[in-house]
Amino acid sequence: MSPEPAPAASGAATAASAGAGGGNRRLRGRCGAAAAGAFLVALLAVAVCSRSFPAISSSSRGGDCGCPGTRKYTGMVEDCCCDYETVDAINEEVLHPILQELVTLPFFRYFKVKLWCDCPFWPDDGMCRLRDCSVCECPDNEFPEPFKKPYSGLSLDNMICQEGKPQATVDRTLDTKVFKGWVETDNPWTYDDETDNAEMTYVNLQLNPERYTGYTGDSARRIWDSVYKENCPKYPSEEMCQEMKALYKLISGLHSSISVHIAYDYLLDESANVWGHNLPLLYDRVLKYPERVQNLYFTYLFVLRAVTKAADYLEQAEYNTDNPEEDLKTQSLVKQLFYNPKLRSACPLPFDEAKLWQGENGPELKQEIQKQFRNISAIMDCVGCEKCRLWGKLQVLGLGTALKILFSVDGENHLNQPLQLQRNEVIALVNLLNRLSESVNFVHEKGPSIEEVIKQQSSSTVQIGVS
C-alpha cells in the first residue's frame, strides 16, 4: 500500500505543492517555471473543456474509438463484487442522477447534529481562515414540523419475542414489514448519543456545502494522524486480517472522497471570491495514488451494499415533512434508487459482507473494530472547523449506519435483532452515498484527462532537461 492520504484540507500551501506535481520533480530556473506554468494552464484547459462540450456516453469512453482516454482502472474492485466499468456506468446513468435530486428534498436536506462539543482527546485549538467554515443553523420554523415530534416506534422488546430458547426464535432480520415508525436507538458503531436531543440543532445541508474552508495547520493534520495511526493503523499486508483491511480501506476511501470535494469546490481567488475546480489538488491528493482511488470505489460499493440490503425497510419508511408533493417525490425516488432494474442486474451484490467475521475470533474482532470506529467518530468532535465538523460527523454517522446494517443486523450471525434506524441515520446514509457518488463521478470524468496532461508534462520536462 502507498502512504495513507494526507489531510484533505491543507489550505493554499497544499494547492501550491499540488500545482508543482506533488514535489516529485524539482524544476529550477526559467525552464522549470515555464513547465510548471504550462502544467497549470493545461489542467485549466481540461476543466474548461469539460464544461464546453456535451457529455459522452459511458459506452463510447475509453479506448474503444482509438481516443487517448484508455481506462486506468479495470476489472473487479478489490474485495468487492463489481468491476470499475460497471460502477462508473451505473453511477453515471442511474445512481448519481437520482441521488443528486433526492438530497435536495426536505427529508434529506435537514440534518440534526451536535455542533458544539468538547474534544475528548485534546484542547480544541483549530482555527478556520474563512467565513465559509461556519455553519448556518436552521431557525425553528424552517425544518419540517414532523422532525420535532417525538419518536413513536416500538421498543426492541416489543418487536422480539422474549420467551423460549434462542434457537426457537424466528429470524426477523430485515423483514419487509419491520418498519413501525422512526425509533430512538443509539448506534453501537458511533460515539455520539443520537438519542440525546438537548444539544442538537438542525442544519440545512444545501446551505452548508462540503467545500474548501481554509482549515489548515497542525489541528487539521492531527485529526487525520489520530484517525490513521491510533485507530486505523496500516499494518504490513501479511499481518492485516481481512476485517482490519476493510476498516482501513473504508476510512481511506472516505478521506479520498473528502479530498475530491475540496478540490471540486475550491476558493481559487479569495479577493474576488471565485470558486471552481482545483485540478492540481485533485491530482496531488487523490489521482497520484492509485490505492486512494481504489479505496474510494471500495467505500462506495460498501455503502451501496448497505443501502440495497436495507431496501425493503427503507422503502416502507415514512418520509413525512408535511409537504405532500415533495414527500411523494421522495418516496418515488427512493423506490427508483432501491429497486432499479439496471442496478439489480449489473451489480446485484456490490459487497459480500458474509465473508467477514468467519474465524473463531470473529466476535472479539468485531468488538475491537467497533471500538476503533467509535474512537474515529469521537475524533470528529476535535475538528476545529465547524463546517468540517458538520460533514465529518454526517459522513462518519453514515458509514457507521452502513456498518450497523451490515454487521449489527445479520441473520447469519443469529443476532435475532430486527433492523431499527433513526431518521438521522437514514439522512446521513443517503447523503454519504451521494457524496461518494459525486466523488466517483468526478474522478471518472477528470482522471483520464488530468493524467494525460501529467504524461505530456513529464515528457516536456525530460526534453527541457536534455536541452
Side-chain angles (χ1 to χ4, degrees), residues 93-204:
E93 297 173 15
V94 179
L95 298 173
H96 187 249
I98 294 175
L99 288 166
Q100 287 284 283
E101 188 173 4
L102 193 59
V103 296
T104 65
L105 295 173
F107 184 89
F108 291 103
R109 190 164 67 222
Y110 297 99
F111 179 66
K112 186 177 67 173
V113 62
K114 188 184 299 183
L115 287 174
W116 299 104
C117 308
D118 293 329
C119 174
F121 303 109
W122 59 77
D124 179 12
D125 54 3
M127 295 294 292
C128 295
R129 296 192 307 107
L130 305 178
R131 64 182 179 183
D132 299 275
C133 181
S134 62
V135 170
C136 176
E137 300 178 14
C138 295
D140 289 341
N141 62 349
E142 179 182 344
F143 59 90
E145 189 66 29
F147 283 26
K148 306 174 187 178
K149 299 176 182 178
Y151 293 108
S152 59
L154 296 178
S155 68
L156 188 62
D157 290 340
N158 288 332
M159 299 181 70
I160 300 180
C161 179
Q162 298 298 316
E163 299 178 2
K165 297 180 180 180
Q167 59 266 29
T169 307
V170 175
D171 179 10
R172 297 185 175 123
T173 300
L174 302 189
D175 189 322
T176 58
K177 303 297 183 183
V178 77
F179 184 82
K180 303 294 183 181
W182 298 114
V183 298
E184 281 197 9
T185 175
D186 197 27
N187 190 323
W189 291 86
T190 57
Y191 174 79
D192 273 350
D193 182 2
E194 295 296 325
T195 66
D196 180 13
N197 296 311
E199 299 180 12
M200 295 286 194
T201 183
Y202 278 96
V203 172
N204 186 335

Side-chain angles (χ1 to χ4, degrees), residues 292-442:
R292 300 181 189 179
V293 176
Q294 294 163 2
N295 292 343
L296 170 63
Y297 276 77
F298 173 86
T299 305
Y300 180 44
L301 289 175
F302 184 94
V303 175
L304 180 60
R305 167 55 184 157
V307 169
T308 57
K309 183 175 183 179
D312 290 338
Y313 176 93
L314 295 173
E315 186 267 335
Q316 296 211 1
E318 298 170 353
Y319 301 99
N320 178 24
T321 64
D322 277 353
N323 188 328
E325 183 178 349
E326 298 281 35
D327 294 344
L328 285 174
K329 189 175 183 180
T330 300
Q331 292 174 344
S332 175
L333 287 173
V334 164
K335 290 181 181 180
Q336 292 178 45
L337 176 66
F338 297 150
Y339 300 111
N340 189 279
K342 289 185 178 180
L343 173 61
R344 290 196 160 195
S345 61
C347 191
L349 186 68
F351 174 82
D352 185 8
E353 69 277 8
K355 60 188 177 183
L356 300 180
W357 326 111
Q358 293 301 306
E360 60 180 15
N361 297 325
E364 292 80 5
L365 185 59
K366 182 185 292 187
Q367 289 183 353
E368 179 182 352
I369 292 181
Q370 191 175 82
K371 179 180 178 181
Q372 288 177 318
F373 191 83
R374 283 176 62 88
N375 285 340
I376 291 172
S377 70
I379 291 174
M380 295 303 103
D381 283 337
C382 303
V383 176
C385 160
E386 192 177 53
K387 189 172 290 182
C388 307
R389 188 184 307 130
L390 164 66
W391 282 102
K393 280 176 167 283
L394 181 144
Q395 293 179 92
V396 168
L397 176 59
L399 197 52
T401 303
L403 289 163
K404 175 180 175 179
I405 292 171
L406 295 181
F407 301 129
S408 294
V409 183
D410 191 342
E412 295 296 324
N413 291 338
H414 306 292
L415 296 183
N416 302 314
Q417 180 178 344
L419 178 61
Q420 289 184 293
L421 297 176
Q422 287 201 67
R423 180 194 291 115
N424 220 38
E425 290 178 318
V426 175
I427 294 170
L429 179 67
V430 171
N431 272 279
L432 170 62
L433 185 63
N434 178 60
R435 297 276 90 188
L436 294 168
S437 171
E438 288 179 334
S439 296
V440 167
N441 191 61
F442 192 52

Side-chain angles (χ1 to χ4, degrees), residues 19-37:
N24 291 333
R25 299 177 299 276
R26 296 186 178 180
L27 306 179
R28 294 188 174 91
R30 295 181 179 177
C31 292

Side-chain angles (χ1 to χ4, degrees), residues 269-298:
D269 187 340
E270 187 171 352
S271 61
N273 196 33
V274 175
W275 294 79
H277 300 337
N278 187 334
L279 298 185
L281 181 65
L282 176 65
Y283 175 76
D284 187 61
R285 290 289 172 169
V286 180
L287 298 179
K288 188 165 64 174
Y289 304 93
E291 181 197 61
R292 300 181 189 179
V293 176
Q294 294 163 2
N295 292 343
L296 170 63
Y297 276 77
F298 173 86

Side-chain angles (χ1 to χ4, degrees), residues 224-289:
W224 288 112
D225 285 347
S226 298
V227 167
Y228 285 109
K229 294 179 181 178
E230 298 177 22
N231 298 289
C232 192
K234 189 173 67 170
Y235 306 100
S237 58
E238 62 273 10
E239 298 179 9
M240 184 182 289
C241 66
Q242 197 171 15
E243 290 80 4
M244 287 290 187
K245 181 180 178 183
L247 175 62
Y248 175 83
K249 293 174 72 171
L250 286 174
I251 299 303
S252 173
L254 177 59
H255 192 176
S256 296
S257 180
I258 292 171
S259 298
V260 170
H261 280 95
I262 291 171
Y264 181 87
D265 201 359
Y266 195 88
L267 184 58
L268 301 176
D269 187 340
E270 187 171 352
S271 61
N273 196 33
V274 175
W275 294 79
H277 300 337
N278 187 334
L279 298 185
L281 181 65
L282 176 65
Y283 175 76
D284 187 61
R285 290 289 172 169
V286 180
L287 298 179
K288 188 165 64 174
Y289 304 93

